[in-house]
Structure formats: structure tokens, C-alpha cells
Amino acid sequence: MRLLVVTAVTAERDACARGLPGSGPAGLPAYPDAVDCGRVTVLPGGVGPAAAGAATATALACARAAGRPYELVVSAGIGGGFPGVAPVGGLVLASEIVAADLGADSPDGFLPLDVLGFGPVRHAADPGLTGRAAAALRAAGVAAVTGPVLTVSTVTGTAAGAHALARRYPGAAAEGMEGFGVATAARAHGVPVLEVRAISNPVGPRDRATWRIREALDVLATAVPVLVKEFGT
Ligand SMILES: O=C(O)c1cccc(C(=O)CC[C@H]2O[C@@H](n3cnc4c(=O)[nH]cnc43)[C@H](O)[C@@H]2O)c1
């Protein structure tokens, strides 16, 4: 199976590629930082859902045109963990990928885009593939929580913001900025998608001192080769 792993930044690309066979340029002119590691391409597509969606769609279209289509897309990166659900240093596997702030504000509160009738705000991760991923991680001794992963365009920075999201999306496990963009592009191309987030910080009051990016990248470097071994051979 050919895999496309989409990250936001090159530090996440390097973490994902750390445990994979030798990498070389993926040959994507619009994304020169993308690398091929055997049957896996690791693409740092940029921060936020728009950049992630554009990069994913470009890579999927180029691969299909070249007769080397990807068969699975993984949105991978660091993320915030919802307190009591996903601890800093933990790993979250998305059961669904949710655009958590896509919609309209109103005197009656937030109105999600699907309530407005303008399109989906949730993409279910493939349950079979998610189950396989969870089992592979467990067998490799990598603890992972499975739950909804929220995509936001603005990193939550207050307790009130975190509580509002947890109320709006019960069971939310993690927050990132790219998953829904990646999933939207994968759906458009008929390719299944997974999202995996290594938790670098708690979702809540902005406190850079609480960010553990290096540790989260190490967790990512441990988890991604397990997923590649499960799906990429
Ligand atoms: O608030 C800051 O000063 C700050 C410090 C370090 C990183 C940031 C980011 O905005 C990182 C966004 C980037 O990392 C992912 N990420 C990591 N934690 C979270 C989070 O709690 N909520 C949303 N995204 C997060 C995200 O996917 C981006 O790629 C800010």
C-alpha cells in the first residue's frame, strides 16, 4: 500500500521519517520539502486546514496522474490534548476528524456549517483501518487514545474556549489545525484517511511553558513507523 503522510512542518516530517528507510526527494515541484521513504511519502504541507488541504490534494492528484496512486492518507503531527482524555506525551488516533470552528457565530451561540446546510464538519476515520492502527500500536507497546480529533484555525488559548469545544464535541480527545483539510482532500480523491496526534500541550490557557514539542515529536517518531509497517508493506 502506498501511504501519504501529511504533516504541518518539517520538524514533524523529520520525526515521521526518523524510523523509516532512507528518504529522498518526493519529486513534488510545489512541495520540495516532501520526501519519499520507500512506499511512504511524508509531506510537510503547512500549518492550518487550507494549506493542509491544498498540499494533500496536490500530492494525491500528482500521484494518480503518474499512475502511482496513494491508498491511504495519514494526517500526522503534534496536537493539544483535552485534559482528562489525552495527556501531554500521549498519542491520539482519530475516530473522527472534526472541523470544530467552521460555521457561524450567533446570539444563540456557534452554528456548525452542517447545521447551516453548507456541508460536513465531520469525516469519520475508516473504522476498520483505525482499529487496525490501534491494534498495531498496542502490539508495539505504544499507548494510544482513540477519539474525535478537532481541527481549528485558531489554537485554543483559554479555559473557556476549551470547555466550549468539549461541550460542543463531547469526548473530544485532541486538537490540531490540519486534519479536516487533509481529510477533505482525501475524501475528494476517494482515499481513506487516518489522523494521529502526539500530544505536545494541554488544550486550554495559552502557556508556552507547558508545551513539550520535543517529547511529542519523539512519540510521533515512535508511532509512525508502526503505522507504516501495518499499512505500508
Ligand atoms: O501559542 C504559541 O505561542 C504557540 C507555541 C508553539 C506552537 C504554536 C502553534 O500554534 C502550533 C500549531 C501547530 O501545532 C499543532 N498544534 C499543537 N498543539 C496544538 C493545539 O493545542 N491546538 C491546535 N493545534 C496544535 C497544529 O496542528 C499546528 O500544526 C503556538
Side-chain angles (χ1 to χ4, degrees):
M1 199 185 262
R2 286 199 77 220
L3 268 67
L4 175 65
V5 177
V6 184
T7 71
V9 297
T10 54
E12 293 165 322
R13 175 204 62 192
D14 295 344
C16 292
R18 203 186 298 173
L20 301 180
S23 65
L28 279 170
Y31 296 92
D33 290 338
V35 295
D36 272 355
C37 307
R39 295 171 61 78
V40 184
T41 298
V42 186
L43 164 60
V47 173
T56 304
T58 300
L60 289 171
C62 289
R64 184 187 301 274
R68 302 176 69 231
Y70 294 107
E71 297 151 276
L72 175 63
V73 179
V74 181
S75 175
I78 65 173
F82 279 85
V85 183
V88 174
L91 188 75
V92 173
L93 201 51
S95 58
E96 56 178 335
I97 300 168
V98 184
D101 56 6
L102 182 59
D105 195 6
S106 83
D108 300 321
F110 176 76
L111 304 171
L113 195 73
D114 57 346
V115 169
L116 299 171
F118 291 131
V121 297
R122 298 168 186 262
H123 289 301
D126 182 292
L129 295 177
T130 304
R132 276 180 59 186
L137 289 165
R138 191 164 45 247
V142 181
V145 170
T146 298
V149 175
L150 308 187
T151 297
V152 295
S153 291
T154 303
V155 173
T156 295
T158 63
H163 293 149
L165 285 176
R167 278 195 306 275
R168 192 182 303 161
Y169 302 107
E175 180 185 277
M177 295 180 75
E178 293 79 29
F180 193 79
V182 173
T184 299
R187 280 288 185 283
H189 285 262
V191 180
V193 62
L194 296 174
E195 182 171 9
V196 60
R197 290 278 153 192
I199 304 306
S200 53
N201 59 281
V203 174
R206 180 170 182 264
D207 177 1
R208 294 178 69 164
T210 67
W211 288 63
R212 295 288 179 273
I213 295 177
R214 176 60 45 208
E215 292 86 334
L217 292 173
D218 288 345
V219 171
L220 204 55
T222 304
V224 168
V226 173
L227 300 179
V228 168
K229 181 181 176 191
E230 176 65 20
F231 298 110
T233 50

